[in-house]
Amino acid sequence: MATILIIDDNPTNRDTYDDILTSDGHSCLTASSGEEGLAKLTAAIVDVVLCDLKLPNLDGLGTMELAHEKHPGLPWVLITGHGNEETAVSAIKQGAFNYLTKPVDLSRLRATLESATRLASTTRENQALRKELGFDEALDRIIGTSAAIKNVKAMIRQVASADTTVLIEGESGTGKELIADAVHALSKRSSLPYIKINTAAIPHDLIESELFGHEKGSFTGAIQQKKGKFEACDNGSLFLDEIGEMPLDAQVKLLRVLQDGRFHRVGGTQELNTDVRLICATNRNLKEEVLENNFRMDLYYRLNVITIRVPPLRERREDIPVLTTFFIDRFNNKHGGNKTASDELLQVVRRQDWHGNVRELENTLEKCYILSLGSVIGAEHITSDNWEAPTSPTAVPSAHPQVPQASPASQDPATNSLNDIQTLIGLPLDEVERRHILATLDHCNGNKSKAARLLQIGLKTLYRKLEKYGTDAG
Ligand SMILES: Nc1ncnc2c1ncn2[C@@H]1O[C@H](COP(=O)(O)OP(=O)(O)OP(=O)(O)O)[C@@H](O)[C@H]1O
Ligand SMILES: [Mg+2]
């Protein structure tokens, strides 16, 4: 029999499902919100999730998206209200196992859960077998057949279990974060906390507090004591992205914690201990930063114990067609299509230099995917390095053509959006981002999953940003 997690904010429904499934011999866990459900998933091994679509705050779809990051393939059965079938169908495209419509029919509930449980056990057996054969989910996500990628994967396997600091160097968009994820996933800390922070996204004066926490009253705005990531991540791995952006003061504290695992919260006197494995990434040349006195030499040597260098895509061109096919498959799943790449497209993409590396390739291909009409994607929508709007030479190039553009009712969308943008001139980039995110959230009536989808960022990233802004919404 299976372990089933029931997520529903309505206590009567929750208890009813719990009673029925328990009397069928399953063991049930219950949660009244998406957040509580996610916490239960980290604490217990669950076979199937039965989840209401409508939940306060984080909805059923958003919960599934976050859960699948940590537990890919976990069968998710959504319960939807009458008239929500369209959402339910798109949920299936996003990875839900199935959906049930309210009022839930008992025999359908039992049959659906039974097949979901069967899937869970097959998936587990496959995973065990794949592990035995030396495959690993996290490594499989790194696509590429070049010698360079094979070396990177071999290195990940080798260093993951070593528990030392790992530095990942490579140009922007080369896949450093995927590599960091794999190092953690293959390490013996894999079931323990894994926290990511992007140094470049945090204002300089808040970095120390973010990493090491602060005591109440230690600076204006420190209204209560806060734990930093080194405390939250005890026994786990911390991914410090864009480490090259770290201010020198914070570098001193980081060095200390790397040397002896000790630190103080900002404004605190108590010495605290932590056991954290650090994984760092940078798209700068840290050695040059040391020579220019932007990065401490002693810290550089501490971080540089094991370095994984990811070559740019133009130095491993054989990965380009493989990645292209992979991304088109992914877009087929995402958009529900069945398109393939033409030979011409494969040749053209292989010849380009892709200075934005895999990220640029992925974004460009998605534009081609959306713009191509037939089932074979040609090369006609690929321009040189940059995206250019094919018809309007005055339009501001859009990085995200699939996002709804300015309404056709406005006279001149390009001028309108330029005027809008001009009102932001003079504001720091961080503030512009904050306003944009909060306005999008407002537009989505506070629905974070929807806002994250519109912003084309992960839900986790949205949460992180809201937390950074200190809004109630976070
Ligand atoms: N080898 C790969 N296989 C599949 N997807 C990849 C690969 N490399 C990168 N990607 C994808 O490209 C995008 C960029 O990758 P990632 O964020 O890991 O890059 P990065 O090196 O951390 O970039 P930056 O320095 O700008 O933060 C992501 O969507 C990632 O999933
Ligand atoms: Mg990155």
Side-chain angles (χ1 to χ4, degrees), residues 176-177 239 241 359:
K176 297 186 293 295
E177 188 165 342
F239 175 43
D241 202 358
R359 182 182 291 111

Side-chain angles (χ1 to χ4, degrees), residues 71-105:
H71 314 274
L74 173 65
W76 203 274
V77 178
L78 278 165
I79 301 172
T80 67
H82 194 64
N84 267 331
E85 284 80 0
E86 222 170 274
T87 322
V89 172
S90 76
I92 289 190
K93 285 187 188 147
Q94 286 173 53
F97 175 75
N98 210 338
Y99 69 93
L100 299 165
T101 318
K102 285 182 200 168
V104 175
D105 175 76

Side-chain angles (χ1 to χ4, degrees), residues 9-53:
D9 56 324
N10 180 322
T12 317
N13 290 347
R14 220 166 45 226
D15 291 346
T16 311
Y17 302 135
D18 190 359
D19 288 348
I20 295 169
L21 297 170
T22 308
S23 65
D24 281 354
H26 298 294
S27 93
C28 293
L29 301 167
T30 56
S32 59
S33 68
E35 288 86 348
E36 193 190 343
L38 290 172
K40 295 250 157 115
L41 280 178
T42 44
I45 296 176
V46 168
D47 297 306
V48 180
V49 179
L50 183 66
C51 177
D52 196 20
L53 178 69

Side-chain angles (χ1 to χ4, degrees), residues 212-228:
F212 305 106
H214 61 245
E215 296 296 345
K216 183 175 170 180
S218 52
F219 54 86
T220 325
I223 44 173
Q224 58 190 31
Q225 187 199 63
K226 185 181 169 226
K227 284 187 180 177

Side-chain angles (χ1 to χ4, degrees), residues 105-154:
D105 175 76
L106 261 191
S107 54
R108 272 212 66 195
L109 174 72
R110 289 192 169 111
T112 308
L113 289 179
E114 195 181 310
S115 43
T117 313
R118 258 202 314 273
L119 172 75
S121 72
T122 321
T123 312
R124 254 201 314 274
E125 278 163 24
N126 277 346
Q127 278 170 349
L129 190 64
R130 287 171 68 78
K131 264 218 162 96
E132 228 170 82
L133 294 171
F135 290 103
D136 205 290
E137 202 87 40
L139 282 182
D140 292 351
R141 268 186 240 141
I142 305 171
I143 308 296
T145 50
S146 62
I149 284 294
K150 285 182 186 153
N151 276 341
V152 165
K153 290 191 183 187

Side-chain angles (χ1 to χ4, degrees), residues 35 38 49 53 78 180 205 212 286 298 354 356 414 433 456 460:
E35 288 86 348
L38 290 172
V49 179
L53 178 69
L78 278 165
D205 51 346
F212 305 106
L286 272 196
D298 43 11
W354 302 113
E433 184 189 85
Q456 300 203 351
K460 262 185 160 163

